[in-house]
Amino acid sequence: MLNIQEIDADRLEMAASMLKAIAHPMRIAILKHLEGGKKLTVTEIHELLGIEQSTTSHHLGILKDKGVLCSRREGKNTYYYLKHDILSQIVDCLQRCTCE
Amino acid sequence: MLNIQEIDADRLEMAASMLKAIAHPMRIAILKHLEGGKKLTVTEIHELLGIEQSTTSHHLGILKDKGVLCSRREGKNTYYYLKHDILSQIVDCLQRCTCE
DNA sequence: TTAACAGATGCAAATATATGAATATTTAGT
DNA sequence: ACTAAATATTCATATATTTGCATCTGTTAA
């Protein structure tokens, strides 16, 4: 039996953890590369960003775990892509707000 | 002498720190209360959210420091308000993405 | 079945964040 | 000047996050 406040607290938690997942320079960079429905492998991302393979995998895992990304395995590769296209909005909004 | 990558890295850092400021359940709750140009005092927020005065002040300080909120002192009170109305977009977007 | 590639995971050290009690600062009223 | 109200700051503790090395798992091709 949940009351309104508990539901609200849960949704706040969920929203916060999703946002926390995004709130990292490398993870924002990942999202930028995935805008427009693009799908990239771990290796592609790790080379694009110039960071370690395992670090890349950790970041992607966090984004997937928090519902920001999805992944599909194809042979040896795992392709990652945005779960909700709308999320690009957040990146765009940030871009506008950090323009000054 | 900055090159493109450094500028980009700086903007990513800035975007991430702004987003990190927002990515906390209580701070998202604060933003919700400030949507539509509303201005609230520290005490009002601390009572609305049911958290300690000093904790509230910390949260507001973080949001202000990272460019999410502005504040204006009026007598004994300090009113806090959104710096960019656009930021409501982020909260709205989260709301849509955490609906499932 | 082995080798080689792609990705995930466990772990530890460094760093960052969150919270609240106590205290300091600022302002208004008397 | 004194007091009380509103807010900010300091500090300590608890907790979470980041990073990369080393290693493990899964997949393909020989």
Side-chain angles (χ1 to χ4, degrees):
Chain A
M1 234 287 253
L2 297 172
N3 62 28
I4 295 286
Q5 289 160 35
E6 284 176 61
I7 294 171
D8 216 57
D10 282 355
R11 287 200 54 194
L12 279 178
E13 279 292 347
M14 207 182 302
S17 80
M18 187 172 235
L19 214 55
K20 214 182 292 183
I22 304 176
H24 182 288
M26 285 303 155
R27 298 200 293 261
I28 292 175
I30 291 172
L31 295 200
K32 280 195 184 189
H33 284 292
L34 295 176
E35 274 186 0
K38 259 168 282 176
K39 304 185 182 205
L40 295 174
T41 68
V42 180
T43 301
E44 286 169 332
I45 293 169
H46 122 72
E47 283 169 354
L48 275 168
L49 303 190
I51 59 179
E52 287 291 323
Q53 180 273 319
S54 87
T55 303
T56 309
S57 189
H58 280 307
H59 285 315
L60 291 169
I62 289 166
L63 287 167
K64 186 182 177 185
D65 185 51
K66 302 308 183 195
V68 180
L69 300 184
C70 291
S71 68
R72 181 200 328 259
R73 179 138 204 172
E74 285 181 24
K76 285 192 281 192
N77 303 303
T78 304
Y79 288 89
Y80 281 88
Y81 52 96
L82 283 179
K83 184 164 181 185
H84 308 275
D85 287 352
I86 333 171
L87 284 165
S88 305
Q89 247 186 26
I90 292 181
V91 177
D92 292 347
C93 178
L94 285 175
Q95 220 142 24
R96 250 169 289 142
C97 291
T98 57
C99 253
E100 307 138 34
Chain B
M1 238 284 255
L2 296 172
N3 61 27
I4 295 290
Q5 289 160 34
E6 284 176 59
I7 293 171
D8 217 58
D10 281 356
R11 287 199 56 193
L12 280 176
E13 278 292 347
M14 208 183 301
S17 81
M18 187 172 236
L19 214 56
K20 215 182 290 184
I22 303 176
H24 183 289
M26 285 303 156
R27 297 201 290 260
I28 292 175
I30 290 173
L31 294 200
K32 280 196 184 187
H33 284 292
L34 295 177
E35 272 185 1
K38 260 169 279 176
K39 304 185 181 206
L40 296 175
T41 68
V42 179
T43 300
E44 285 170 331
I45 293 169
H46 123 72
E47 283 168 354
L48 275 168
L49 304 191
I51 59 180
E52 287 291 325
Q53 180 272 321
S54 88
T55 303
T56 309
S57 187
H58 281 307
H59 284 316
L60 291 169
I62 289 165
L63 287 167
K64 187 182 175 186
D65 186 50
K66 301 309 182 195
V68 180
L69 300 184
C70 291
S71 68
R72 180 194 335 252
R73 181 137 205 172
E74 285 182 22
K76 284 190 282 191
N77 301 303
T78 304
Y79 288 89
Y80 281 87
Y81 53 97
L82 284 178
K83 183 163 178 185
H84 309 273
D85 286 353
I86 333 170
L87 285 164
S88 306
Q89 250 187 23
I90 292 181
V91 177
D92 293 345
C93 178
L94 286 174
Q95 220 142 23
R96 250 170 289 143
C97 291
T98 58
C99 252
E100 305 138 36

